[in-house]
Amino acid sequence: MMKKPNRIFARFRFKQKLFMSYLIVTIIPMMVLGVYSYGQSRELLNDQAKQGIERNISTAVNSIAYKMDLYDNLIHLIVANRTIQKIVSASNGEAADLSTLANQLKEFLDPYFSMMLSTYHGIDKLTIYTESQLPEYGDYLRSAKRVADQSWYNAAVSKFGIRWYYDESLNAAYAVCKFPETFTSGHHVLFIRMSMESLLMDSVNLLSDYGLIISDSNGTPLFTNARETNGTHLMGIQKQIPNTNWTIHYYVPMNQVSGNPAPILYATFIVIGICIGIMLIIISLFANGMLRRIYQLNYWMKRVENGGLELNIQHSSNDEIGELINRFANMLSRIKELIQEVRRKELHRLQAQMNPHFLYNTLSSVNWKALQTRSYEISHIVTSLSKYYRTALNKGDNHTTVRNELENVKSYLDIMLITNDYLFDVIYEIDDDVYPLYTINMILQPLVENAIKHGVHKKAEGRGTITISASLGQGTVQFSIMDNGPGMDEEQVRKMMAFRSGGYGLRNVQERIELFFGTGYGLTVQSLAGIGTTMTITIPQTEQDSAQLDWSENR
């Protein structure tokens, strides 16, 4: 029975077979994909809706916890106040001085509590219950005998800490905390009461669209705005309020959670249809030559998958498959470069992690020994050297503040001045506005070293002078290193800027500036024979946040 269809199918060309086979093969996956997409879309919409509701609940819980934290901070401020501690723990002899006590209550406790009540909205009672013999003072100071039989009072005096309770008769929440016994004598308990409306107002407004119940650990409702369900199927979500035994219960009708996945389903079928049409056109046009090169490309990919990164890919086609091969070849080349770059960066990272503490400790020991022998110049050199290495190493970071970079140069010059018997002068002309800006480290020291070596050291007559300046330009920072040495003619300046005169330090500075800041920034040299040389570095003005972003991208 199957022989005749097979013979008929065998008469078709391969491209036609591929076209017909693809039609049959794609119909079944399309139907399966449609059903699967509908189910996944529906589930995705439900998950997204549930996540949105959970975010609202988290926001509401955080709002309540935030307010309770505010009240906790208020309680800590009061029970830790030394003046209030002295008032409530006054001995009988001290309490006998009613005039002094009245002044303390009137001039400190009364305005202090009044300020707290006016600042923390929602608090309607603020009272200290004390076991001392002090006279009662309004609502602010009461005898502990009034509440000695209350469970919250006995729980408060048994252990230091803040406890929260709910008063059903007043629909209010209250918190209690005893004063620390380290600074007071006897038991003294702070009582703060606030309305549930002020505590829960923001959360209730946020979750007002559906059923909301707030209950304690026993399941007793503290607040509810739940509506009649009328048999509606509900989805319930609950979340514990931090640092309390209260729980938020949130109920949402399922018909409001589930969305309509039909648009996603329609879009899925449209995309699938477009893809099938495009693929059929490509197969019908390029089936003859496409498969052979796809097999070849697949073979190359397998070799790369097995570690053959040194594969040399060659081809002569310029069509889409050829472009794909080109991109694969470029990708393979880029992978090789990235592997090498990762290795270089890993090496740099490991080198940057080398702990310089041994160097600093050694320099500190040398400095201490120099001070013992009163070798103050050696001590100065060691101190400057320690500061120089601290700013130069910069904890392995490439960027630093202009202030640190100038401190690095100053430490280097301090060492050079001592070791050269102060044979030249140094002048600093620094604009204060440049200090907080950011730059890359170790770009000024090579220029200063060049000014000493080829400038003031080669000055035939007179005293050498090096001037270091830093100023702001139009969106730039300019550093200048000027010496009054013998200077250079135009040919020498041209060779220096071409880095053909052994100026590896200057080349390093130029390349690093271009790497981090791009072309247009870097080093310029101006020199006159017999007058001196001025080397100027120009970089963009960079704040801390943008500096970290730019350098992280460059890395």
Side-chain angles (χ1 to χ4, degrees):
M1 295 295 294
M2 296 296 297
K3 291 183 179 180
K4 187 174 181 179
N6 288 338
R7 286 197 298 267
I8 295 174
F9 188 77
R11 295 174 183 175
F12 291 101
R13 300 181 62 85
F14 180 77
K15 183 171 66 174
Q16 296 171 335
K17 294 177 183 179
L18 185 62
F19 186 86
M20 295 174 61
S21 300
Y22 193 82
L23 280 178
I24 298 173
V25 170
T26 53
I27 290 175
I28 296 176
M30 184 180 67
M31 295 176 62
V32 174
L33 181 61
V35 175
Y36 177 80
S37 298
Y38 178 81
Q40 290 296 311
S41 299
R42 190 179 184 86
E43 183 178 350
L44 178 61
L45 289 176
N46 290 341
D47 290 342
Q48 290 177 344
K50 185 175 180 180
Q51 291 173 4
I53 295 171
E54 289 178 345
R55 283 195 294 269
N56 287 343
I57 294 178
S58 297
T59 302
V61 169
N62 292 336
S63 175
I64 297 174
Y66 172 76
K67 288 189 176 181
M68 298 180 76
D69 286 341
L70 288 179
Y71 295 135
D72 287 349
N73 292 335
L74 169 62
I75 293 173
H76 286 302
L77 284 175
I78 295 176
V79 299
N81 189 287
R82 296 303 302 274
T83 303
I84 297 178
Q85 291 173 0
K86 290 180 180 179
I87 293 175
V88 299
S89 62
S91 64
N92 292 336
E94 292 172 336
D97 188 355
L98 297 179
S99 177
T100 301
L101 178 62
N103 287 336
Q104 290 177 335
L105 295 174
K106 181 179 179 180
E107 295 178 5
F108 181 81
L109 188 64
D110 193 344
Y112 187 81
F113 276 20
S114 297
M115 182 269 292
M116 291 297 183
L117 289 173
S118 61
T119 301
Y120 291 80
H121 300 291
I123 298 179
D124 56 18
K125 187 173 183 180
L126 188 60
T127 304
I128 298 175
Y129 290 99
T130 176
E131 293 182 359
S132 65
Q133 300 302 318
L134 296 175
E136 293 186 341
Y137 185 75
D139 278 339
Y140 297 158
L141 190 62
R142 290 295 185 95
S143 172
K145 295 179 180 179
R146 292 177 175 270
V147 293
D149 59 341
Q150 298 292 324
S151 60
W152 59 263
Y153 177 81
N154 295 320
V157 298
S158 64
K159 185 177 180 181
F160 179 77
I162 299 174
R163 291 174 171 80
W164 283 86
Y165 299 90
Y166 171 71
D167 191 339
E168 183 177 1
S169 61
L170 298 176
N171 190 28
Y174 58 93
V176 294
C177 179
K178 77 171 183 177
F179 283 72
E181 296 178 356
T182 306
F183 304 102
T184 62
S185 58
H187 295 306
H188 316 282
V189 176
L190 176 65
F191 178 94
I192 294 180
R193 186 178 67 198
M194 67 290 299
S195 65
M196 290 295 289
E197 180 180 359
S198 64
L199 183 63
L200 306 176
M201 185 188 334
D202 294 339
S203 301
V204 172
N205 291 337
L206 181 63
L207 305 177
S208 60
D209 293 340
Y210 308 107
L212 174 65
I213 299 175
I214 300 177
S215 64
D216 60 14
S217 59
N218 298 323
T220 303
L222 308 181
F223 174 86
T224 179
N225 68 345
R227 306 170 184 175
E228 292 293 335
T229 60
N230 296 324
T232 303
H233 184 55
L234 300 176
M235 179 182 69
I237 301 175
Q238 64 182 27
K239 193 172 185 67
Q240 182 82 19
I241 299 176
N243 302 322
T244 69
N245 59 355
W246 299 351
T247 304
I248 285 185
H249 305 269
Y250 196 39
Y251 299 96
V252 187
M254 287 300 298
N255 58 4
Q256 298 187 29
V257 175
S258 302
N260 182 17
I264 298 178
L265 185 61
Y266 298 152
T268 302
F269 279 113
I270 292 174
V271 172
I272 292 174
I274 293 174
C275 292
I276 291 175
I278 295 175
M279 294 177 69
L280 290 176
I281 294 175
I282 294 176
I283 291 173
S284 64
L285 294 177
F286 303 105
N288 292 331
M290 179 177 61
L291 293 179
R292 178 180 56 82
R293 286 178 291 154
I294 288 179
Y295 292 150
Q296 181 64 50
L297 179 60
N298 185 50
Y299 169 74
W300 287 332
M301 288 182 175
K302 286 183 178 179
R303 287 191 58 183
V304 172
E305 182 181 4
N306 294 327
L309 295 178
E310 301 302 324
L311 182 66
N312 185 17
I313 299 176
Q314 297 179 350
H315 71 97
S316 58
S317 59
N318 295 318
D319 57 7
E320 290 81 2
I321 302 300
E323 292 177 0
L324 183 61
I325 296 174
N326 277 334
R327 290 191 176 93
F328 178 73
N330 294 336
M331 181 183 67
L332 182 59
S333 176
R334 181 58 178 161
I335 289 174
K336 297 176 186 177
E337 295 175 1
L338 289 176
I339 291 174
Q340 295 298 322
E341 182 66 19
V342 168
R343 289 174 179 171
R344 288 194 296 268
K345 289 186 176 181
E346 182 65 14
L347 179 60
H348 176 75
R349 184 183 66 82
L350 293 175
Q351 291 175 341
Q353 290 177 348
M354 294 179 63
N355 196 332
H357 288 173
F358 174 78
L359 173 63
Y360 297 150
N361 292 336
T362 304
L363 293 176
S364 178
S365 299
V366 174
N367 180 47
W368 179 78
K369 195 67 177 179
L371 291 174
Q372 272 192 329
T373 59
R374 298 185 179 181
S375 301
Y376 297 116
E377 283 194 343
I378 296 177
S379 174
H380 192 181
I381 291 176
V382 171
T383 302
S384 299
L385 184 61
S386 178
K387 185 183 297 184
Y388 171 80
Y389 276 112
R390 177 180 59 81
T391 53
L393 294 176
N394 197 30
K395 298 180 180 179
D397 204 343
N398 286 323
H399 65 282
T400 185
T401 61
V402 173
R403 184 186 299 276
N404 287 341
E405 181 66 8
L406 292 172
E407 285 292 328
N408 175 265
V409 171
K410 186 177 184 302
S411 300
Y412 174 77
L413 282 169
D414 288 343
I415 298 172
M416 291 297 102
L417 286 171
I418 295 174
T419 55
N420 288 275
D421 296 327
Y422 297 93
L423 292 179
F424 60 91
D425 298 321
V426 179
I427 300 174
Y428 296 93
E429 297 176 352
I430 309 299
D431 186 348
D432 291 340
D433 294 334
V434 305
Y435 285 123
L437 299 177
Y438 269 67
T439 180
I440 53 177
N441 63 336
M442 292 295 291
I443 60 174
L444 297 182
Q445 186 273 337
L447 276 63
V448 174
E449 181 181 356
N450 191 79
I452 295 174
K453 181 178 179 181
H454 300 289
V456 296
H457 276 182
K458 292 187 177 181
K459 184 174 177 62
E461 297 179 356
R463 187 172 178 81
T465 301
I466 294 177
T467 302
I468 300 175
S469 64
S471 60
L472 296 178
Q474 294 294 329
T476 62
V477 179
Q478 292 185 339
F479 303 96
S480 295
I481 310 297
M482 181 174 62
D483 66 76
N484 62 346
M488 297 178 288
D489 55 27
E490 293 182 359
E491 180 62 20
Q492 289 175 313
V493 172
R494 187 182 63 80
K495 287 183 178 181
M496 173 176 286
M497 293 308 296
F499 304 111
R500 292 201 301 267
S501 60
Y504 295 104
L506 302 182
R507 178 189 301 175
N508 179 273
V509 169
Q510 179 65 27
E511 289 177 349
R512 290 171 62 216
I513 291 175
E514 290 182 349
L515 176 64
F516 277 93
F517 300 115
T519 57
Y521 300 101
L523 175 66
T524 58
V525 178
Q526 294 179 338
S527 184
L528 293 175
I531 302 299
T533 302
T534 300
M535 290 179 285
T536 302
I537 288 179
T538 303
I539 63 173
Q541 295 182 21
T542 308
E543 301 290 344
Q544 180 178 9
D545 292 341
S546 59
Q548 292 176 346
L549 177 61
D550 293 342
W551 282 310
S552 64
E553 291 176 349
N554 284 324
R555 288 181 177 181

